[in-house]
Amino acid sequence: MGDAARERRIVEEVPKKLLIGGRERDAAEGKTFPVEDPSTGEILCEVADASPDDGMAALDAAHKAQAQWAATAPRDRGEILRRAFEMVTEQADDIAMLMTLEMGKPLAESKAEITYAAEFFRWFSEEAVRISGEWKVNATGSGRVLVMRQPIGPCLLITPWNFPLAMGTRKIGPAIAAGCTVVIKPAALTPLTILKLADILAKAGLPEGVLNVVTTKSTGKVMGPLIADPRLRKLSFTGSTEVGQKLIEQSAQQVLKTSMELGGNAPFIVCADADVDAAVDGAMLAKMRNIGEACTAANRFYVHADVAEEFTKKLTDRMGSMTIGRGVDEGVEVGPLVEADQRDKVAELVDDAVQKGAKVRTGGQVPNGAGYFYPPTVLADVPTSARLVKEEIFGPVAPVFTFTEDDEAVRAANDTEFGLVSYLYTRDLQRAIRLSERLEAGMVGLNQGMVSNAGAPFGGWKQSGLGREGGDVGIDEYLEIKYVAMNV
């Protein structure tokens, strides 16, 4: 069982107030909201519930700090991120416990997220000193072209609940490296990890006002005035496509620069020539990472008829044998979903598929007891009319479909408004290249079940988003290009 005293200590040590201008403060109206442990339904603590006035105060602080931060030497900005990387790494065990308590994922998964999340700070600490420009002779030879890249200005970052640390570092890292100040609004379901991260950044030497944290349950009411304020220059959001569309619409009034990492409906294609055991390994990672609560999670498994039964049986055996329980307990592989509504949605999608003819190979029933658990589930013979073909599952459910021709698999894979990531398993190099080029997605996992990498551009096509996070282009989202024409 988990160590209750350690759990209490870790939660108690996290600041619970707003962070504005370097000062921790209560919400202006004195309100708080509870943070719940999804494995028990019990309340861990209360945190400040910001008002619109608090949101504007955070933007005031970011605006005030912007000029000085932009003028700070790139090496100094990078060194702060590097120190924060080291501190996050050193405190990985406690941060992992905190993340598991508020989000539910097993400790091993939380520790893996910390490794991934910290890498964004290390990566962008190095990118801070590599912001480049251009100098060239113009076409007539009578002048010069000078191109420079400068920080865009105060940024609003809105992060989701499913990767509480990584979605923060993936946005904060490039913003700080570029010389931008930040207002960050973490998800109300998992605010503690970002509050802990902000405390680490302050101890790493980040100046007051550069990072401001606003926790609230009223996101639209509190963030709306910031989006409408001309001092805000950039909005970065990770979350559902539905919410992202509304934010883009609001941002249009200020022609605000936006980057959006939105929903996914990832296909996982297993060709007849695939290594089936490797494909099952990849499927376990692509489906069960983060309990399936990931925009990159495999949502639809298209398996060639020649290997479909072998793949389905092996996947069923693996998923059916996973240990379910509270994420802090030893040996647990599958924690709870984040809240009751999320579990109900997953159960509803499974029930819909079964009612339409899908066969349950394992799982498929909500267990009794406390917490928001749903068992790993494999569905076979899934009809194309099932809702989960079009809707993002966001849970530990693997629906398996069959195909006989490559063209059939590609058409099915691309038959969605989303285009974040696709997975493809084949041992034929020509087929691998040919199908990878045809898949309508911003990322392709070729014979591997995970694409996330701090050094690679993460983002999607179609309604899966705008812009890229990570890689050598990730910092571009926080920079403006200026061209200077010179006569000589």
Side-chain angles (χ1 to χ4, degrees), residues 170-237:
R170 197 161 78 182
K171 298 179 190 298
I172 293 169
I176 288 176
C180 298
T181 57
V182 167
V183 176
I184 187 166
K185 205 295 291 184
L189 290 170
T190 57
L192 301 180
T193 303
I194 285 293
L195 288 166
K196 176 70 173 179
L197 181 64
D199 187 52
I200 288 173
L201 280 161
K203 290 173 180 174
L206 192 67
E208 295 179 352
V210 175
L211 177 68
N212 305 276
V213 183
V214 178
T215 52
T216 181
K217 293 206 74 174
S218 304
T219 302
K221 183 170 70 173
V222 176
M223 296 295 106
L226 275 68
I227 295 171
D229 194 304
R231 295 175 300 171
L232 188 72
R233 301 298 175 83
K234 160 78 181 180
L235 168 64
S236 178
F237 169 77

Side-chain angles (χ1 to χ4, degrees), residues 267-323:
F268 190 105
I269 299 174
V270 182
C271 297
D273 64 350
D275 179 330
V276 174
D277 289 331
V280 172
D281 288 343
M284 291 298 295
L285 186 56
K287 178 73 265 182
M288 292 307 299
R289 179 180 178 231
N290 217 54
I291 326 170
E293 294 175 314
C295 54
T296 56
N299 210 61
R300 300 165 291 147
F301 290 82
Y302 296 107
V303 186
H304 194 280
D306 290 352
V307 295
E309 183 53 36
E310 179 187 1
F311 175 88
T312 305
K313 183 181 185 308
K314 290 181 174 179
L315 181 64
T316 298
D317 290 345
R318 292 277 296 275
M319 289 183 64
S321 65
M322 298 184 80
T323 302

